[in-house]
Amino acid sequence: MPSLPNDGEDQGTSPMKPPPMLSYQNVGKRKGRTKKKKGIITANIAGTKYEIVRIVIGEMAFLKTKDEDETANLIWNDSAVQHEKIAELRNYQRINHFPGMGEICRKDCLARNMAKMIKSQPQEYSFIPKTWIFPAEYTQFQNYVKELRRKRKQKTFIVKPANGAMGHGISLIRNCEKLPAQEHFIVQEYLDKPFLMEGYKFDLRIYILVTSCDPLRVFLYNDGLVRMGTEKYHTPNESNLNQLYMHLTNYSVNKHNENFERDETVDKGSKRSIGWFTEFLRTNDYDVAKFWGDVSELVVKTLIVAEPHVLHAYRMCRPGQPPGSDSVCFEVLGFDIILDRKLKPWLLEINRAPSFGTDQKIDYDVKKGVLLNALKLLNIRGSDRKRNLAQQKAEAQRRLYGQGSTKKLSAASSEWERQRHTLERRREELKERLAQVRKQISREEHENRHLGNYRRIYPPDDKLLLEKYESLLSTAFQTFLAGRAASLQKEMNNPLKRMKEEDILDLLEQCELDDEKLMGRSSRQRGPKPLSSMPESTPGPRRQREGSTSSSCSDSGSSESDEGDGGDLLDKRDKGVSHHQRENKCGSPERSSRVHWKPPVKPAKATPSVSPALSGPIRRSISCPRSISSLTVQSPTNEPRTFAPKPSTPTLRPKSASRSHSLSRSGSAGRVPHSNSLGIIHTNMTSGESLVNLRTKEQEAELTRQTLAALNEMRIRFAGKSEEEAEMLLNEILDNWKYHKPKVASYWLVKLDSTKQRKVLDIVRTNVRSMLQRIWREPDVDSLHLYRIFSRVFNRLLWSHGQGLWNCFSNSGSSWETVFSKSSEVLSPQELQCCQRLVQLCRDCLLVVYKFVADSRGSLTGLSPEWDDTR
């Protein structure tokens, strides 16, 4: 049984003396009269009683301040701090507690919040024993006991104080009638079949570092403590219920037993390291990777339950602080986990103030590493204070002179002024989000260099796992936000929150183009215009579907770039729509694209045009994938780059690359997107070879041709109908387009919100991803140049609440192809045809979904009962 909040596992004993080292306080006294160095980092540790904290502060070369100094860079307290203190902190300061973390650190709050998530996600939250909160759930508990009796079963329960610590007040019971109905405590089912080690019961103390709640960032320390009982374990019965040394694993309980072993050997003693335990599992042929994966998921899912509470409390303490800015709070949590005989981890409790006492060498080694690596990850710099003061002055000046603020509209404002105002607000929002994304990239670079013995478990590198976590996080927020915190709820639904850097840059470029059109100025070409000779769209939707799919689609910005959960609707007859792929056909079907593409005319040297409303050109950082794929080509004589593709040769990315003048970050030149090569990669590549183009031209051209053939074979299938019947339904809709047009428009533009619109297109996106993984033999298709082109097309179709896709039906708006003609990115004829076929599939998908909903429900209120569920 692990120790509880404010765990005193190491309390009551004298701390172990650290290795001989120069007293940091004496150094401070000896140099007290010297002038303080600039950029020094200060720490206020008056709130801690643990000597190990002072030792780590000394090794980090932090300057210890006076106890009453509230301006230190780092403030450390053993206990939770008041919200008022967090609200008074300056942006450069750090304190080791989050507000609202008590929602999972108090036993009653943890049980209450877990119960809510179990109702909506029972399979994901099966790692906590059944728990009842007294006195509120006394009746439910007695009913459960009666049901057990009816089945002639008897279980053991463990009773804990709602906010106890150090094992005080814990007891085991089997006769449940004796429980008082009005006392405040919790009752849990006792795990009577634990994983034993040498015949003893034990638990694990896992150390977790949370560096930010906005966004959530969680790190797991790869070492910890194994705390064992001091009497051999036996299944609980009436005779041994009171033998706490057998059933409880709290250090504060077992240290008083004469059988407690203080052996310094790694494989002996009543307290051992998790590093040793991992080797023990590996030696005995247990799946260590699965074990740590289960522990990581348990930790992340638990913190997901706390995230809405912590984020809301943090925003209340720090109003006006922009999202994504450096957090003034961090926290080291102690997760107490027990294993059953199948090695499944079960959560017992969470300590927001784990003990850092060091009365044994193993305590000193483990806890020093936890603290030292945590402080290095926080990236506290001596220049933070000066930078914060400069930012405050600049912000005050902007407020005084009104710089950077959007002019307010009056009632008499013209339509032109309203459009201009909307565009300015959009631009400012995009610039703010772009700064947040780039700051996040810089933060991740620092974390990757200073992880030490930590590893990041949220956000994970596994994209499928990240999608699952985000779905659980969305459920947690919906449970928390029901009827309150409207501003936070609006922010959580902001599509910009999930966008990557390249998508935001695309939107900013589009804002430039819209601004030029609004100002009546013709925008000069930014790069080559390979699509200038494309045929115009045919007027009717029937012809559009049968012929060229280059019909008008909005070229405005992008929607969420991440994949939604629309893929779950595939190949299920009750969901109504899916892709059907023919494997045996190679010819182009009747409704395939028939665009006769002509090679682009070689343009003159392009001169970038800048909107008068923008302060400077949009700059792409080197970490942006499209900034790498569009690096300018320079010869030794610095001649300008020209584009002259031959009609019979697909246009590919350049072979030689140098840094573009538009790159805004200089420290990341070595980074390139990861990609697996299908051919031979020469490790000693010359300076003129491209680092991005890892495949040969012939291989990419052939794979693109195979992709086009696979896209042409794809069909949208109507649930319960054959392919011919689905084709007839589509033709019926287009033949009677005058009747269906307002209904389709109402369904797509009004009844579906942005999330459900994304799910409709994700039906196509998910199948396209699977097809690319199969053809290109690339598990991470996001690194493929072709898939990034597809992502831009999807984003254009979802732009402006789905107006982009609707423009393909209504023959209005500018064409989606202009997004490529306005950039330096050149499409080959086959890549262009792939995009056109992709748009055709999206149009057909919308029509089939519309028809399925109209037929199955008689109204157009949503996709299906599952889609109407906001989860």
Side-chain angles (χ1 to χ4, degrees), residues 17-31:
K17 293 183 179 180
M21 60 178 291
L22 186 62
S23 172
Y24 193 71
Q25 289 83 349
N26 294 340
V27 174
K29 292 179 181 178
R30 192 166 59 209
K31 295 184 178 182

Side-chain angles (χ1 to χ4, degrees), residues 544-563:
Q544 287 175 349
R545 196 172 69 85
E546 294 180 349
S548 169
T549 57
S550 61
S551 57
S552 299
C553 295
S554 174
D555 63 337
S556 306
S558 61
S559 177
E560 294 95 337
S561 62
D562 64 318
E563 292 187 33

